[in-house]
């Protein structure tokens, strides 16, 4: 059975789904079944809301001050479960909440998601992946039209900037140095910090 809660590199993570509308070139899911304390992050069956909450109840979070929603899938693909889990953490555990997302929650769900989740979270890390729609499409390979997905992700990030205490955009260092520089310029223009993640 796959882990819902797992630890990795000193952090604690919640893996609520394996669903994702993208096929990123650098997706960590291609590197193995497990990560950190989890032998497998592939769910045989997608966990229910109750199973997620039960996993949160059972885990000892006392060594941690933050929990991150990030696993082998896109958390906004299971928005109701994500919302319920964030509410549970906020109301019952003394932890900050971060979500790592591809920023396509609005496209996936068909309604504005940032406004609904923002009251429950402390930070959000959004995958910019590339500075242009063309490169974004090649790197992220979304099931949506690439330009539409890129614009939706940027719009989502801009709204998060005004709603969430800490919003960050990320690129992975698999793209060229010039594209990282262009990503930095784009982030400067929209006023959101960029974090360059190392591919490992
Ligand atoms: S958005 Fe995340 S989970 Fe989905 S393919 Fe890209 S890296 Fe993998």
């Amino acid at each position: 059975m796959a882990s819902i809660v797992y630890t990795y590199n000193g952090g604690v993570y919640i893996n609520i789904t394996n669903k994702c509308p993208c096929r990123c070139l650098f997706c960590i899911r291609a590197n193995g079944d497990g990560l950190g304390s989890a032998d497998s992050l592939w769910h045989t069956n997608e966990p229910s809301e109750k199973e997620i909450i039960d996993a949160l109840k059972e885990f000892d979070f006392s060594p941690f001050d933050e929990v991150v929603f990030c696993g082998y899938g896109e958390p906004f693909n299971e928005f109701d479960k994500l919302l319920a889990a964030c509410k549970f953490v906020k109301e019952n555990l003394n932890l900050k909440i971060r979500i790592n997302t591809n920023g396509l929650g609005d496209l996936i769900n068909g309604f504005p998601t940032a406004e609904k989740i923002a009251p429950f979270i402390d930070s959000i890390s959004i995958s910019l992946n590339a500075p242009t729609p063309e490169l974004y499409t090649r790197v992220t390979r979304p099931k949506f039209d690439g330009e539409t997905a890129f614009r939706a992700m940027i719009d989502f990030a801009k709204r998060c900037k005004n709603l969430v205490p800490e919003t960050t955009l990320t690129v992975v260092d698999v793209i060229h140095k010039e594209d990282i520089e262009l990503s930095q310029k784009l982030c400067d223009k929209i006023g959101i910090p960029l974090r360059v993640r190392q591919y490992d």
Side-chain angles (χ1 to χ4, degrees):
M1 193 175 154
S3 299
I4 295 174
V5 183
Y6 66 102
T7 58
Y8 175 64
N9 264 355
V12 64
Y13 298 84
I14 315 295
N15 174 42
I16 67 167
T17 182
N18 292 147
K19 295 177 189 169
C20 182
C22 302
R23 290 184 302 119
C24 298
L25 293 178
F26 48 78
C27 182
I28 199 168
R29 302 187 295 182
N31 296 350
D33 290 342
L35 192 63
S37 68
D39 291 335
S40 175
L41 290 171
W42 292 111
H43 299 293
T44 316
N45 297 303
E46 288 276 308
S48 65
E49 183 180 312
K50 181 179 182 310
E51 285 169 330
I52 295 167
I53 302 293
D54 285 348
L56 292 171
K57 282 180 184 165
E58 282 162 21
F59 192 81
D60 175 14
F61 287 97
S62 56
F64 303 97
D65 60 7
E66 181 189 62
V67 68
V68 184
F69 284 84
C70 175
Y72 271 17
E74 166 51 48
F76 279 80
N77 251 92
E78 288 293 346
F79 190 65
D80 289 346
K81 294 174 192 173
L82 176 66
L83 202 55
C86 287
K87 277 184 191 170
F88 178 84
V89 172
K90 201 85 208 153
E91 286 164 9
N92 298 280
L93 304 169
N94 187 25
L95 293 165
K96 288 186 176 169
I97 302 173
R98 169 157 59 99
I99 302 176
N100 291 356
T101 175
N102 60 25
L104 301 180
D106 294 4
L107 275 187
I108 295 166
N109 292 287
F111 57 81
T113 48
E115 289 71 11
K116 290 188 190 293
I117 200 80
F120 304 101
I121 65 174
D122 300 280
S123 61
I124 190 158
S125 177
I126 303 162
S127 303
L128 174 66
N129 286 351
T132 62
E134 294 74 26
L135 185 59
Y136 177 85
T137 305
R138 290 210 300 277
V139 172
T140 309
R141 301 189 291 178
K143 74 171 191 187
F144 307 108
D145 168 71
E147 170 127 18
T148 304
F150 182 77
R151 305 274 171 230
M153 176 271 298
I154 295 284
D155 179 64
F156 177 84
K158 284 180 178 169
R159 286 169 21 244
C160 284
K161 182 182 83 162
N162 297 322
L163 295 164
V164 181
E166 200 181 315
T167 299
T168 310
L169 284 160
T170 66
V171 292
V172 180
D173 63 1
V174 293
I175 59 172
H176 291 129
K177 190 168 162 277
E178 300 74 41
D179 291 315
I180 294 177
E181 284 165 9
L182 286 174
S183 299
Q184 184 64 64
K185 280 194 183 140
L186 175 61
C187 288
D188 291 346
K189 197 172 143 203
I190 59 181
I192 299 175
L194 175 71
R195 188 166 71 85
V196 182
R197 290 169 46 218
Q198 217 180 349
Y199 180 68
D200 50 26

